[in-house]
Amino acid sequence: MSTRLPTYFVSHGGGPWPWIKDMMPGMEKLEASLRSIPTELGLTPRAVLVISGHWEEPEFTVQTSAHPPMIYDYGGFPAFTYRIQYPAPGAPNVAARVGQLLEDAGITTRYDAQRGYDHGLFAPLYVIYPQADVPILQLSLRSGYDPAAHLAAGRALAPLRDEGVLIMGSGFSYHNLAAFGPSAGPASTAFGDWLNTTLVEGPVEERTQRLLHWDAAPGARASHPAEDHLIPLMVAVGAAETEAGVRIYHEHEFMGAIDSSSFRFGELPGSGR
């Protein structure tokens, strides 16, 4: 049986939501989808490589710390949420492999031994692996958000899937903080429908070209005025470019009005699903 891991793009929710669910109700479906990932994988990854919408650099940069600190990159939450700890170990050996694969593909790569875990990592990963016992590392986005560059990075990193490393893009299928209430409904639904058609229902061989021109999609710029929370998707897709996609989470009324989704690319290990 194959032990190749699929890749994921997850909508990671807002701020430190797993610690303040009483203040941020309505996360139940998102939480359930994240919590189900270890069960559907059926095995524990050697490490998780997270591409978060909350870290970008001029060049792709790999987190190399064995014990990454915390980055509380949010505001307006209770004081205790700035003391949250998610003490998952880093993965310096995997970081070296990530850098090697990118550099072998001609992709300029940098390394950062100081970078900590941002909430695009620790919020969803706390739900997925609450014991913080799986090594985790981050790869930055590259400034400019070029879809082709991030798809290419994903292609370069695809061998990790056969080496026990789970590749996970962490962002949001809708991310317009200026319209995060009822006004978000039409644009988020239009773009969410386009995403599902592109990633799940449409021909796989057309997926890359559609993603290269994502900003021409219905509701695209209203959903992503800046695409930092969408571009992690490109890495996840690039690493499973010819493989089918499945929508693993979807709701029309996230935070009351927003169409929100997460996706998996490639079959589950040993299952043929």
Side-chain angles (χ1 to χ4, degrees), residues 85-252:
Q85 293 295 310
Y86 184 68
N93 56 337
V94 178
R97 177 64 170 150
V98 170
Q100 175 193 15
L101 289 169
L102 292 172
E103 290 168 358
D104 287 351
I107 298 171
T108 301
T109 307
R110 302 284 181 258
Y111 301 87
D112 190 330
Q114 307 303 316
R115 174 73 187 186
Y117 292 148
D118 61 58
H119 82 268
L121 182 152
F122 68 74
L125 268 295
Y126 172 73
V127 179
I128 298 169
Y129 296 114
Q131 300 305 312
D133 53 359
V134 177
I136 303 173
L137 71 160
Q138 288 191 242
L139 173 68
S140 78
L141 302 177
R142 195 177 82 178
S143 298
Y145 305 139
D146 179 13
H150 291 81
L151 285 159
R155 289 184 204 109
L157 296 172
L160 294 172
R161 298 173 56 204
D162 293 309
E163 300 170 13
V165 178
L166 182 66
I167 298 172
M168 180 174 291
S170 174
F172 220 116
S173 60
Y174 173 90
H175 195 254
N176 182 348
L177 296 181
F180 225 76
S183 64
S188 68
T189 298
F191 189 66
D193 289 348
W194 181 89
L195 272 180
N196 196 55
T197 297
T198 297
L199 301 175
V200 178
E201 297 175 349
V204 171
E205 58 271 20
E206 295 179 7
R207 186 167 63 196
T208 294
Q209 282 302 311
R210 287 173 66 90
L211 289 174
L212 288 172
H213 304 287
W214 72 270
D215 55 350
R221 278 300 177 193
S223 296
H224 292 279
E227 56 265 40
D228 50 346
H229 277 57
L230 179 69
I231 292 299
L233 167 68
M234 308 300 172
V235 182
V237 168
E241 195 164 25
T242 63
E243 299 171 60
V246 177
R247 186 163 62 180
I248 62 167
Y249 153 71
H250 179 243
E251 59 181 308
H252 283 298

Side-chain angles (χ1 to χ4, degrees), residues 5-72:
L5 294 173
T7 71
Y8 287 83
F9 171 73
V10 299
S11 290
H12 64 231
W17 66 268
W19 289 268
I20 52 170
K21 288 184 285 186
D22 58 332
M23 296 177 59
M24 298 181 70
M27 299 288 185
E28 293 82 6
K29 290 183 179 179
L30 175 60
E31 182 176 18
S33 72
L34 294 169
R35 199 178 299 281
S36 72
I37 288 174
T39 300
E40 71 177 25
L41 286 175
L43 53 81
T44 301
R46 171 186 167 209
V48 183
L49 174 63
V50 177
I51 303 90
S52 166
H54 290 274
W55 185 24
E56 67 177 84
E57 298 287 347
E59 303 291 349
F60 288 107
T61 302
V62 188
Q63 180 188 59
T64 64
S65 173
H67 301 285
M70 302 290 286
I71 297 175
Y72 306 111

